[in-house]
Amino acid sequence: MPIFEALAAPCHWRPSPLAAGPFAGLQGGAIASLLTAEVEALAGSRNWGTAISSAAWFLRPTPMADLRTEIRVVSEGGRVSVVDNALWPAAEQEPCATVRVTLSRERAIEVPGFVEAGRATADPTRYPARTIRIVKGRQWFMDAMEARLGDGVAWFRMSHEIIAGAGPLSSVLGPADWTHGIARPVQNVVADPNPNLTVQLFRRPVGEWIGVRAEARWMPSSGFGAGGGTLLDAEGEIGRVSMSVVLVPFPKPAMAAG
């Protein structure tokens, strides 16, 4: 079952409960995946090539409601194309999120003296499965994937499609969106939402597993931070991920009346 259901009207979508985030609205990785997947779905017919980069901005919380999208071609032709896609609640006028996807036609290039790094095959299933219990009593985006952790890499395998026919880059964005949380300097003291997400791939992932070798830096005196890391599949590195982080104090529990 896809995480987003296509409605009768073109570019209209209904999110399933699996698109939800831990707080209000949808998870950023689900949103970025939907917007990028729509662009990838058009790439073949438009001769854009392969999606190699997606930069998403989360402008405000996206509600669990029917949604609409709008694709706009920024640059098309030659070897590289740039395409924007934006997201709105179907009944509203202010956008919630936008992505800019860079696509390129593949072309083999001979580079004298260059030797591609050897690949060492990994088996994520040899690590124990991890259950992340942030949300109770309902489904959320983490329930759409299997998670394992070992040797400094967090591994994820999506168990549901974002949309029917989603491409390779959009399948990476959901796991990549957890990067800043994997490497938190401390746990359970502040929330650290990411207002943006950028992923770049230098080759297509092989197989179902996506790994993140993550790092994060916080500056509590400013309330900012950053997350980033190396993206992998079972055969080695495939790209990079980065995002900004905004530190937000957890709400204080209400005091009982004396």
Side-chain angles (χ1 to χ4, degrees):
M1 178 185 70
I3 294 173
F4 291 89
E5 175 192 356
L7 301 181
C11 301
H12 281 66
W13 303 91
R14 178 167 295 156
S16 78
L18 291 171
F23 304 112
L26 306 190
Q27 177 71 23
I31 295 166
S33 298
L34 167 65
L35 294 174
T36 302
E38 278 197 288
V39 175
E40 287 186 293
L42 285 175
S45 62
R46 300 292 291 269
N47 197 27
W48 290 335
T50 300
I52 59 174
S53 174
S54 177
W57 292 267
F58 310 121
L59 308 177
R60 63 188 179 99
T62 299
M64 182 66 71
D66 288 355
L67 306 168
R68 61 185 175 90
T69 60
E70 182 178 325
I71 291 176
R72 183 176 68 88
V73 176
V74 178
S75 176
E76 183 179 33
R79 188 171 176 191
V80 175
S81 296
V82 179
V83 182
D84 287 351
N85 198 7
L87 179 72
W88 291 262
E92 298 182 20
Q93 300 302 313
E94 291 295 323
C96 293
T98 183
V99 302
R100 173 160 289 186
V101 181
T102 302
L103 307 99
S104 179
R105 300 172 192 164
E106 296 186 23
R107 180 186 303 164
I109 303 294
E110 292 188 9
V111 181
F114 178 81
V115 178
E116 184 177 346
R119 301 181 186 178
T121 302
D123 179 14
T125 61
R126 72 188 183 93
Y127 304 117
R130 297 289 298 270
T131 301
I132 300 176
R133 303 184 184 280
I134 298 175
V135 174
K136 297 180 180 180
R138 63 175 174 86
Q139 290 184 307
W140 69 305
F141 193 47
M142 182 53 72
D143 294 323
M145 62 187 77
E146 179 183 351
R148 296 175 182 263
L149 180 62
D151 295 333
V153 178
W155 292 96
F156 302 91
R157 177 166 61 181
M158 298 292 298
S159 54
H160 295 262
E161 287 185 302
I162 294 295
I163 62 174
L169 178 55
S170 56
S171 70
V172 173
L173 292 170
D177 188 47
W178 301 114
T179 297
H180 62 303
I182 297 166
R184 284 189 183 99
V186 291
Q187 300 289 331
N188 302 322
V189 293
V190 295
D192 56 340
N194 54 307
N196 52 43
L197 172 67
T198 298
V199 167
Q200 288 126 356
L201 298 184
F202 58 82
R203 69 172 175 86
R204 297 174 183 234
V206 176
E208 298 178 308
W209 286 98
I210 300 298
V212 183
R213 185 181 295 120
E215 63 177 29
R217 298 289 184 270
W218 286 2
M219 186 60 66
S221 60
S222 65
F224 304 143
T230 301
L231 298 172
L232 308 101
D233 63 13
E235 295 188 3
E237 294 186 17
I238 59 173
R240 299 291 185 271
V241 54
S242 63
M243 68 264 285
S244 300
V245 170
V246 178
L247 304 180
V248 181
F250 284 140
K252 294 183 179 179
M255 295 183 64

